[in-house]
Amino acid sequence: MISLKKISIKAIVFLFFLSSFFSQSAETILTKEEIKFVESLPTLTVLLSDNDLPFSKYEGHCFTGAIPQYFDLISEITGIKFEFISQNHRSFVNQKKTIDLIGGARFSSKFGNEAFNTTVPYLVSSKLLVSKKHFNQPKITTVSIFGVSAVSSDEKLELTRCFQNEQIRIIQYPDSKEILQNLLQGKIDKALVNQYTINAFLNRPDYSELQIQTEYIFEDNYCIQIAGLSKNIDGQMLVSILNRAILATDPQVMIGFIQEETKKLPAISRFEYAQQYKWEFFLLILVFFIIFFGVILFSGQTRLFSDLFTTKKMQLETLSTNLNTGIVEINKSMKVIYANQAFLTLLQYVGENSDFIEDKSFIDFIAENEKDTFIKQVGKLNIPSDNSEKHSFSIQIRLLRKDCSTLPVILNASLMQANNNSQNIYMIIFDNSSQIFALEKYQNSKKKFDSIIEKTNEIQYEFDFNSGEITVDDSLYKKMGWTFPHKMTNIPFYKMWHLSPQYENQFKHALSRISETGESISLKVKLKKTSGIELWVNILLSPVMHDGKISKIFGTIEDIDYEQREQDLIKFKANTDPLTGLYQKDVFADFCKKFIKKAIHEPESNAALIFVDMDNFKKVNDVLGHLEGDKAICDTARKLQLIFSQYDIISRFGGDEFCIFVKNIPYETLVDKLTWLIDKMKETYTIDDKSVTVTASVGVSLFPKDGNTLEQLLDCADKAQIESKQKGKNRFTFY
């Protein structure tokens, strides 16, 4: 369990990091050429969704949410100025403004940046498939996807794969809340919604009919997309600067913005709160009805009470004092005619004579913010001549006590005819503080308990294989939404853990090792929450052996999701080239070696290593400048991704050199791709009256014909590439 001291230290370190980060200026990450480019930029218009909680929301003539906060951070780092707009924004419609950027565009790591008009992701998250709990699958499934940009090809492919046996119809909405409401109303069948959005809604009672289909989890990484920039603005340069700012930003900053916005979402209404705590409210309502019927009984005996006030005051005093119930008589001008000792005791006027309060205004004893409520109720009272007129009421208000504190009470009042033919108001006042304080105490205790559970990282458990009993902390249900059964069942042991499928074999192997060695084992795996989200945990399995068999297994389940996802994001950024998004040289080598190691034992396997060198690249830098050189590099990377598939390994080796490893490709297809490559690579770059034409010299080596190691294949491809240069460039050569 994390102590408060540790939490405070972490918070201080995080704030220190933020303060040091925000102190960076554009000069620290941008070149002089890039700073000059930024200074020439106008304010860029960014398209955001009107209602994408907690990412963006348009209200009060401005945008709020995590994405606007992130753009403010990017502006702080780079100096680029942004203004936000939505498609429904009146100024956008009237002024016909150009959209420069899309702030909530989606990035696909599976297919890469095909057009090189998007940045690297600034948020790595998931998109979950949501449906109603009681859902009859139709012949044609209507699936809704949230987004202000077009539905990506990878989302269409993934949906087609998931619903391969049925027809699907995709509808795109710009409003995430509207998607969920249409889903509840049955207008659509299923919806793809971001994990942070659906979690914000599923906690509310009116969305309890929705469920997450855990077998379908899609990538949903947010990035910035170029939309309709002016021709005089270099899009590649802008993407390069934005990428650098994103990579310089700690990924947890965006997560922090999301958590901050989630806390700002509207609190659960009183009706929703009553649904969530219906039994507690049922008891309060029961008490209310008992009091209400008491009021009816009281109203039916109005003349009897009038007589009690005039002829039997001593008996009433004794009764009301024993019940700790205040009794007060006032006229319609609010002047107090009579008040019993119990009422004075409630207001802390112990020992005062009842004459002390007479002729004082009852309004003076009501809390300031509740006076109008009482006056309005009194103004509605009339001696009934028919059933339409009101002669009594019951309200909860607060009275002022002698020490200036307030006391919550239930006040039942009736208008009756007095002996002197005047109309007076008779009130019975019950102390309601114990019920109110008990409810507040319960709410505070629940908040503290929930806070402790959220901060608890370790959950203890124990399986007794002899008795079949299972013991586990209640915090498992709070964190995961599921728990183990109380007794061992016929379900396999590994199935009780709700493991992600790819970790089941690892878990089975660990159990076998424990049975053989009797040693404790620690596993890092993903467990599925009932919401469908996968959580990284560290499971400690400690056995107790008896006669060579496991009699018990006990240990802990530690939440390591935050740390693991942070490491994954850092690894993702480290594996790719910041300018092109292609694999780094070392990562490329690892992938190739793994394939070769496996392919050596598979005679039918083949591969080709293609070495590409850009002709005249140095001349582009010398004549046209480094900005045009970066553009040529990015153009080449984009063309390579267009020609080769996502199953091929594409890498930037450094400078103007690229390497592609193509797996299991027929020779004729390889020649066609190389011919296409030579044709696509020819490009002329022009600035003013200066121009340079770029082509490519390509060398190719084949596995296993030219070598069975990566080093041999690289050496052969390099020699073939040199031969292409010597033959006049703009060609490909096989080793």
Side-chain angles (χ1 to χ4, degrees):
M1 183 179 293
I2 299 176
S3 67
L4 291 176
K5 183 177 181 182
K6 288 183 178 179
I7 294 171
S8 300
I9 292 173
K10 284 186 177 181
I12 292 171
V13 171
F14 182 68
L15 289 173
F16 175 78
F17 167 77
L18 280 181
S19 64
S20 62
F21 174 78
F22 282 115
S23 66
Q24 295 185 80
S25 62
E27 288 82 356
T28 61
I29 65 168
L30 303 183
T31 65
K32 292 182 179 179
E33 205 167 6
E34 289 169 334
I35 293 174
K36 186 176 180 182
F37 171 78
V38 169
E39 290 174 347
S40 68
L41 286 175
T43 299
L44 300 181
T45 302
V46 182
L47 177 66
L48 295 179
S49 169
D50 289 353
N51 194 0
D52 183 16
L53 303 174
F55 298 104
S56 64
K57 183 174 179 62
Y58 183 72
E59 57 182 354
H61 304 291
C62 67
F63 271 97
T64 59
I67 294 180
Q69 291 187 65
Y70 193 82
F71 267 86
D72 290 342
L73 181 59
I74 294 296
S75 179
E76 181 80 19
I77 297 171
T78 63
I80 300 174
K81 297 178 181 178
F82 305 102
E83 67 172 345
F84 306 113
I85 200 143
S86 73
Q87 291 178 335
N88 298 324
H89 192 180
R90 183 175 298 173
S91 64
F92 169 71
V93 175
N94 294 341
Q95 300 175 22
K96 298 182 180 178
K97 289 190 176 181
T98 300
I99 302 171
D100 299 316
L101 303 172
I102 298 175
R106 300 313 198 272
F107 179 93
S108 173
S109 60
K110 181 176 180 181
F111 293 98
N113 183 359
E114 296 179 355
F116 273 80
N117 62 347
T118 66
T119 66
V120 296
Y122 58 81
L123 173 67
V124 176
S125 63
S126 299
K127 186 175 286 183
L128 306 177
L129 192 65
V130 186
S131 65
K132 292 184 72 173
K133 291 181 179 177
H134 307 291
F135 174 70
N136 295 323
Q137 187 68 49
K139 293 182 180 179
I140 299 179
T141 301
T142 302
V143 181
S144 293
I145 300 178
F146 171 80
V148 294
S149 58
V151 179
S152 65
S153 58
D154 56 329
E155 286 179 327
K156 290 182 179 178
L157 287 172
E158 286 294 315
L159 285 170
T160 303
R161 180 184 63 79
C162 293
F163 304 102
Q164 55 186 345
N165 295 327
E166 48 189 276
Q167 299 180 19
I168 64 169
R169 183 161 61 99
I170 299 174
I171 300 177
Q172 188 173 2
Y173 283 91
D175 189 320
S176 56
K177 187 175 181 181
E178 184 180 354
I179 290 180
L180 297 178
Q181 289 175 342
N182 286 340
L183 189 60
L184 286 170
Q185 296 168 8
K187 295 180 180 179
I188 57 177
D189 305 315
K190 299 183 181 183
L192 274 179
V193 186
N194 185 274
Q195 64 183 83
Y196 295 106
T197 300
I198 189 62
N199 283 340
F201 284 100
L202 283 186
N203 292 328
R204 306 182 70 90
D206 47 342
Y207 290 91
S208 61
E209 280 298 309
L210 298 183
Q211 66 176 356
I212 295 173
Q213 295 188 246
T214 57
E215 64 270 27
Y216 303 118
I217 299 179
F218 300 84
E219 177 185 282
D220 196 32
N221 302 332
Y222 279 66
C223 66
I224 304 170
Q225 180 179 345
I226 300 294
L229 286 176
S230 301
K231 293 182 179 179
N232 60 343
I233 298 178
D234 187 343
Q236 295 289 347
M237 179 69 160
L238 179 60
V239 168
S240 177
I241 292 172
L242 293 174
N243 277 343
R244 198 167 305 170
I246 292 170
L247 293 172
T249 306
D250 189 297
Q252 291 308 312
V253 172
M254 184 59 182
I255 300 296
F257 289 155
I258 293 172
Q259 292 172 346
E260 179 183 336
E261 290 301 320
T262 302
K263 292 177 182 177
K264 294 179 183 178
L265 293 179
I268 296 177
S269 67
R270 293 180 181 177
F271 175 73
E272 294 171 324
Y273 186 85
Q275 282 187 310
Q276 190 169 355
Y277 300 101
K278 55 186 176 184
W279 291 112
E280 291 86 346
F281 276 92
F282 175 76
L283 293 175
L284 288 176
I285 292 171
L286 182 61
V287 172
F288 172 78
F289 272 106
I290 292 172
I291 296 171
F292 178 74
F293 284 115
V295 173
I296 294 176
L297 180 62
F298 168 77
S299 302
Q301 302 295 326
T302 54
R303 194 163 299 279
L304 175 61
F305 274 107
S306 177
D307 293 338
L308 283 172
F309 271 92
T310 56
T311 63
K312 297 186 177 181
K313 285 188 177 181
M314 292 300 297
Q315 293 92 328
L316 184 58
E317 282 284 354
T318 303
L319 177 62
S320 62
T321 302
N322 290 336
L323 294 176
N324 196 29
T325 302
I327 298 176
V328 180
E329 179 185 1
I330 63 174
N331 59 25
K332 294 206 73 173
S333 299
M334 305 293 178
K335 295 294 182 180
V336 177
I337 298 172
Y338 167 78
N340 69 343
Q341 282 295 325
F343 176 74
L344 296 177
T345 302
L346 288 177
L347 298 187
Q348 297 180 335
Y349 293 103
V350 180
E352 295 284 355
N353 191 287
S354 59
D355 296 337
F356 155 76
I357 200 171
E358 291 181 6
D359 293 329
K360 295 187 183 308
S361 175
F362 185 75
I363 291 296
D364 295 336
F365 298 98
I366 300 177
E368 189 65 35
N369 59 340
E370 310 226 15
K371 290 180 179 180
D372 289 343
T373 302
F374 180 78
I375 293 172
K376 287 179 182 178
Q377 291 292 337
V378 170
K380 297 177 182 179
L381 294 179
N382 283 295
I383 296 294
S385 58
D386 54 52
N387 293 332
S388 64
E389 296 184 1
K390 185 176 180 181
H391 71 285
S392 64
F393 65 85
S394 178
I395 58 172
Q396 295 187 43
I397 62 172
R398 290 181 176 265
L399 299 181
L400 281 173
R401 308 179 86 179
K402 187 177 182 180
D403 63 358
C404 296
S405 64
T406 60
L407 177 71
V409 299
I410 296 174
L411 187 151
N412 299 318
S414 291
L415 182 66
M416 293 185 293
Q417 197 77 34
N419 289 340
N420 57 0
N421 293 325
S422 63
Q423 293 181 359
N424 291 344
I425 300 170
Y426 298 88
M427 297 179 291
I428 298 179
I429 299 168
F430 301 94
D431 182 356
N432 193 34
S433 59
S434 58
Q435 290 88 343
I436 296 296
F437 295 152
L439 180 60
E440 291 175 352
K441 185 177 180 181
Y442 167 76
Q443 292 171 343
N444 292 334
S445 298
K446 185 178 183 301
K447 287 180 182 178
K448 290 178 182 178
F449 177 74
D450 290 343
S451 177
I452 291 171
I453 292 301
E454 288 175 1
K455 295 177 173 65
T456 299
N457 274 348
E458 286 192 357
I459 301 166
Q460 297 180 346
Y461 70 90
E462 180 180 311
F463 287 81
D464 191 324
F465 291 92
N466 292 329
S467 65
E469 293 183 355
I470 302 174
T471 306
V472 65
D473 289 350
D474 292 338
S475 55
L476 177 66
Y477 178 78
K478 288 287 185 180
K479 187 172 288 290
M480 306 301 298
W482 55 262
T483 188
F484 297 114
H486 296 296
K487 285 277 189 179
M488 300 287 285
T489 64
N490 294 327
I491 300 174
F493 182 66
Y494 71 91
K495 286 288 188 183
M496 296 183 187
W497 292 82
H498 297 255
L499 291 158
S500 294
Q502 64 267 36
Y503 297 101
E504 289 183 354
N505 288 333
Q506 180 184 348
F507 197 88
K508 291 178 188 177
H509 181 68
L511 291 176
S512 298
R513 283 184 56 197
I514 291 174
S515 299
E516 294 171 2
T517 64
E519 297 178 353
S520 298
I521 290 180
S522 182
L523 293 175
K524 184 167 71 174
V525 296
K526 282 184 178 179
L527 300 184
K528 278 191 174 182
K529 301 172 72 171
T530 52
S531 62
I533 296 174
E534 294 180 323
L535 191 74
W536 278 105
V537 299
N538 193 64
I539 301 176
L540 175 63
L541 300 164
S542 296
V544 175
M545 308 298 291
H546 183 71
D547 293 335
K549 295 183 179 180
I550 299 174
S551 63
K552 287 185 180 181
I553 287 182
F554 66 93
T556 58
I557 306 168
E558 182 183 4
D559 181 356
I560 59 170
D561 192 71
Y562 173 87
E563 296 84 355
Q564 188 62 38
R565 292 192 185 276
E566 188 176 44
Q567 292 174 12
D568 291 344
L569 184 59
I570 293 171
K571 184 178 178 182
F572 170 78
K573 291 181 178 180
N575 288 346
T576 55
D577 173 50
L579 181 61
T580 65
L582 301 179
Y583 285 121
Q584 300 275 22
K585 184 176 181 180
D586 293 342
V587 179
F588 172 84
D590 288 341
F591 285 145
C592 294
K593 287 177 181 178
K594 287 178 182 177
F595 175 83
I596 293 171
K597 183 178 180 180
K598 182 180 179 182
I600 287 175
H601 304 291
E602 299 174 354
E604 69 280 3
S605 293
N606 69 79
L609 194 146
I610 304 169
F611 196 93
V612 179
D613 184 83
M614 297 172 63
D615 301 326
N616 302 327
F617 176 72
K618 185 176 183 303
K619 192 174 179 181
V620 173
N621 281 336
D622 294 342
V623 175
L624 305 179
H626 288 281
L627 286 179
E628 203 68 13
D630 285 349
K631 181 181 178 182
I633 291 289
C634 291
D635 286 345
T636 300
R638 176 177 54 80
K639 293 170 183 176
L640 293 177
Q641 287 182 311
L642 177 66
I643 295 168
F644 298 97
S645 74
Q646 71 265 27
Y647 302 106
D648 302 325
I649 307 169
I650 309 173
S651 169
R652 183 186 179 194
F653 255 43
D656 59 345
E657 295 177 340
F658 298 82
C659 217
I660 306 99
F661 192 79
V662 185
K663 310 170 194 174
N664 297 319
I665 184 171
Y667 181 80
E668 295 78 9
T669 305
L670 176 62
V671 172
D672 290 342
K673 283 185 177 287
L674 291 170
T675 304
W676 187 17
L677 172 62
I678 294 300
D679 180 62
K680 289 287 290 183
M681 280 295 296
K682 190 172 183 179
E683 184 86 32
T684 300
Y685 296 91
T686 303
I687 294 181
D688 298 329
D689 58 346
K690 301 174 184 177
S691 63
V692 177
T693 299
V694 174
T695 58
S697 295
V698 180
V700 187
S701 61
L702 302 176
F703 168 85
K705 172 180 169 292
D706 299 326
N708 56 9
T709 67
L710 178 62
E711 291 75 14
Q712 292 171 344
L713 294 173
L714 281 171
D715 183 59
C716 293
D718 185 52
K719 290 177 180 177
Q721 179 266 328
I722 293 172
E723 186 177 343
S724 292
K725 289 274 191 186
Q726 293 171 348
K727 289 181 179 179
K729 306 178 181 179
N730 193 27
R731 67 187 68 239
F732 64 87
T733 304
F734 283 92
Y735 177 73

